[in-house]
Amino acid sequence: MQENVLILDFGSQYTQLIARRVRELNIYCEIHPYNKPPKDLSGFKAVILSGSPFSVRAENAPHPDLSEIRGKLPLLAVCYGAQYFAQFHGGTVEASETREYGRANLSDIKPAELLFDGIPDYSQVWMSHSDTIKELPENSVRLASTSDVLNAAYRIDGEQTYAIQFHPEVYHTTDGKQVLENFLVKIAKVAQTWTPEAFVEMTVSELKNKIGDDKVVLGLSGGVDSSVAAVLLHKAIGKNLYCIFVNNGLLRKDEFTGVLDQYKHMGLNVKGVDASARFLDALAGLSDPEEKRKAIGNAFIEVFDQEAHLIQNVKYLAQGTIYPDVIESVSVNGGPSATIKSHHNVGGLPDFMKLKVVEPLRMIFKDEVRRVGAEMGIAKELLGRHPFPGPGLAIRILGDVTAEKVRTLQEVDAIFIDGLKEWNLYDKVWQAGAILLPVNSVGVMGDERTYEKVVALRAVESTDGMTADWVNLPYEFLQKISNTIINRVKGVNRVVYDISSKPPATIEWE
């Protein structure tokens, strides 16, 4: 049985990062809202409390019920959790005179403490809080300080409860991964057995037991998630997996035929359906991004359902849902997270089709999906493919979508992506693409004035898409690509480069 670590989420922007760091230690973990913990804790070996945007002194501060955890399981309280123990167990928390945010250095580390084993004095940590612990809770021992924070870390005597004011999960805490490893491996004795090989073995076995001889239909996108899900299912049920790849007319240039050729070599049972005209008809006259997404979603449901009904006795619908999708569906207040924009995974299929759902990747992150794919021998080219939005180029064409605009953007996008590959930049970028703007710009070609389209190029680096930084591509490369686009793509006379990070911007423009 896989040993498990529980992460209780108090709404911190860093909670997913805690889980990622734990998984990097080859330890399995799950995130649950603090107010909806698992009823059965018997499978968990340790618990981590996340930070929070709340103050423990506020009336609406989260109050977790830790009666089944504290003193019974090793517990690490990060930031808000550390303040919570102090505020409600005999200590004192007060507002800081200045917000404690940014880099700090540990000092006065108590010797022979396992939590800081191998951590040197003055190790850099990252602080992010406006309150500070003035007095420690009852029966506690200070473990470390910083120049501005006396009680930067402590433990409670007589139990394996540890608390830290800093965030070990963020990049700026240089020894943060070691702190987490000390807690989980040396203190909680959690086995480091969570590997891609173990995941494949466990998941294939579970799929065999769950599905048996029933048939499964899966919508392939050509992307990493659906492809890895397909290979996992194929390992478990073989010929009973039926894959459908729908061309919505909004794919990259030549992608429909290219992806189908790629799947032929993987032994998968794949049917390609060209429904380009149907999707473009559904998008006619629509400019609002949410309306475009809904139109695409509805068209996809109709096409996919029609094709699925041609397969007799299908019982399951497989989806490439991954863990961030699952986490984002529930907030710490028990409801859906704030909607920035509709998720690109098309909703409504399970209810519409009356099929049971199977999601073999629902508990792993994007980078883990790639490692699992590599473990199963999936081609590096496919696993390294940049993420591509489900609505495709429809949300990279700002305003209404026409066949002519799609062709224009496909040509621009192909020049950009091919250029990244030729310059050996593609694998250094997490996601790249071009955006067709709804504005014209004055230009000069030869001796004539032009009034044509503007395109924006976008390239970002990220690990999971939750945050992203724009990539500082070489000027020589941008100059070459800009010239090539303007010379080769009729109707475009200006190219700009997007240097916005997420947040505050999003990766896609719509």
Side-chain angles (χ1 to χ4, degrees):
M1 183 178 176
Q2 183 68 53
E3 293 189 348
N4 200 349
V5 172
L6 171 63
I7 299 172
L8 289 181
D9 179 25
F10 291 84
S12 169
Q13 61 178 319
Y14 300 133
T15 302
Q16 281 201 39
L17 203 48
I18 298 174
R20 290 176 51 77
R21 295 290 176 260
V22 173
R23 297 277 183 93
E24 287 170 5
L25 294 169
N26 294 331
I27 292 173
Y28 182 67
C29 62
E30 294 178 11
I31 297 174
H32 291 261
Y34 80 91
N35 52 0
K36 290 186 178 180
K39 293 180 181 178
D40 182 8
L41 296 173
S42 61
F44 293 96
K45 292 274 290 184
V47 179
I48 298 175
L49 307 184
S50 83
S52 175
F54 294 97
S55 164
V56 294
R57 300 177 300 106
E59 288 185 14
N60 61 341
H63 287 273
D65 179 6
L66 302 175
S67 58
E68 296 301 313
I69 296 173
R70 186 179 170 188
K72 299 176 183 179
L73 289 170
L75 178 65
L76 177 65
V78 175
C79 197
Y80 178 89
Q83 295 174 355
Y84 177 83
F85 275 115
Q87 179 77 352
F88 298 103
H89 295 87
T92 304
V93 175
E94 296 179 1
S96 301
E97 292 181 7
T98 57
R99 179 167 160 74
E100 292 164 349
Y101 184 86
R103 295 173 177 83
N105 298 93
L106 292 178
S107 59
D108 301 323
I109 296 176
K110 192 174 178 64
E113 286 288 344
L114 280 180
L115 186 67
F116 290 111
D117 190 31
I119 309 297
D121 251 348
Y122 306 109
S123 176
Q124 179 179 285
V125 296
W126 182 263
M127 296 287 190
S128 180
H129 53 91
S130 55
D131 292 335
T132 194
I133 299 169
K134 289 295 185 182
E135 294 182 22
L136 292 175
E138 298 170 352
N139 303 319
S140 57
V141 177
R142 182 185 305 117
L143 302 183
S145 304
T146 71
S147 58
D148 294 322
V149 179
L150 178 64
N151 299 306
Y154 65 89
R155 65 172 172 81
I156 297 178
D157 261 341
E159 55 189 81
Q160 291 181 311
T161 297
Y162 293 79
I164 53 179
Q165 275 280 264
F166 59 89
H167 287 270
E169 68 274 20
V170 302
Y171 171 79
H172 303 295
T173 298
T174 51
D175 295 303
K177 190 174 180 180
Q178 185 63 54
V179 171
L180 290 171
E181 184 173 0
N182 288 343
F183 170 70
L184 293 170
V185 178
K186 296 179 180 179
I187 295 170
K189 309 292 185 187
V190 184
Q192 294 174 279
T193 56
W194 178 248
T195 62
E197 182 183 8
F199 174 81
V200 171
E201 185 178 330
M202 178 183 71
T203 304
V204 169
S205 176
E206 288 175 352
L207 290 170
K208 284 180 178 177
N209 292 333
K210 179 176 182 175
I211 298 169
D213 294 326
D214 290 333
K215 293 180 180 179
V216 178
V217 64
L218 167 67
L220 283 172
S221 68
V224 177
D225 300 339
S226 65
S227 299
V228 173
V231 174
L232 273 169
L233 284 158
H234 182 70
K235 277 181 169 289
I237 62 173
K239 63 180 179 5
N240 281 342
L241 173 66
Y242 294 80
C243 301
I244 299 171
F245 179 37
V246 177
N247 180 12
N248 58 14
L250 303 162
L251 303 174
R252 285 180 156 136
K253 184 181 179 181
D254 300 328
E255 189 168 30
F256 182 56
T257 54
V259 168
L260 285 176
D261 287 343
Q262 199 168 33
Y263 283 134
K264 280 180 185 176
H265 298 96
M266 295 170 64
L268 296 174
N269 175 20
V270 183
K271 180 181 180 181
V273 180
D274 189 352
S276 305
R278 188 167 184 169
F279 280 85
L280 286 172
D281 287 345
L283 286 167
L286 298 181
S287 296
D288 180 80
E290 282 299 299
E291 289 182 6
K292 289 194 288 187
R293 287 172 184 268
K294 287 173 184 174
I296 292 167
N298 291 335
F300 180 82
I301 289 172
E302 291 171 3
V303 173
F304 191 84
D305 184 57
Q306 181 179 319
E307 292 298 325
H309 271 91
L310 299 177
I311 308 165
Q312 293 185 346
N313 301 318
V314 173
K315 296 290 180 64
Y316 285 92
L317 169 71
Q319 297 189 143
T321 307
I322 62 174
Y323 201 28
D325 304 336
V326 176
I327 297 166
E328 290 166 21
S329 66
V330 180
S331 73
V332 296
N333 295 316
S337 300
T339 300
I340 305 301
K341 53 192 175 187
S342 298
H343 197 274
H344 63 253
N345 285 344
V346 178
L349 272 172
D351 291 338
F352 187 86
M353 299 180 70
K354 310 300 181 188
L355 296 176
K356 291 182 282 187
V357 175
V358 59
E359 298 170 317
L361 307 178
R362 67 178 280 109
M363 297 308 290
I364 62 176
F365 290 98
K366 190 80 170 187
D367 54 330
E368 293 177 308
V369 173
R370 289 194 168 100
R371 291 201 292 271
V372 167
E375 173 66 30
M376 296 189 297
I378 297 177
K380 184 180 179 182
E381 180 187 2
L382 195 155
L383 293 178
R385 185 174 182 265
H386 289 179
F388 188 66
L393 299 181
I395 59 166
R396 292 182 178 176
I397 297 171
L398 274 57
D400 67 316
V401 179
T402 65
E404 181 184 359
K405 289 181 180 179
V406 172
R407 282 192 295 271
T408 298
L409 189 55
Q410 283 177 332
E411 293 297 329
V412 171
D413 181 83
I415 292 170
F416 184 32
I417 298 301
D418 289 346
L420 288 169
K421 291 177 179 177
E422 289 168 11
W423 284 60
N424 294 317
L425 294 169
Y426 185 83
D427 292 335
K428 298 175 183 177
V429 172
W430 191 75
Q431 184 171 345
I435 300 95
L436 184 64
L437 305 186
V439 292
N440 282 23
S441 127
V442 173
V444 177
M445 288 190 177
D447 294 325
E448 296 193 10
R449 175 185 183 276
T450 62
Y451 190 56
E452 296 177 331
K453 292 295 182 186
V454 180
V455 293
L457 305 182
R458 179 88 158 127
V460 299
E461 52 189 2
S462 180
T463 52
D464 53 16
M466 300 299 295
T467 61
D469 290 319
W470 63 277
V471 179
N472 190 6
L473 295 174
Y475 285 141
E476 296 84 0
F477 169 78
L478 291 172
Q479 181 183 42
K480 167 80 171 172
I481 295 301
S482 174
N483 288 341
T484 304
I485 289 170
I486 292 171
N487 288 333
R488 289 189 190 173
V489 184
K490 186 179 179 181
V492 175
N493 70 354
R494 190 177 297 269
V495 177
V496 299
Y497 186 53
D498 182 352
I499 57 170
S500 310
S501 293
K502 176 186 180 181
T506 52
I507 294 175
E508 300 293 343
W509 281 42
E510 287 192 342

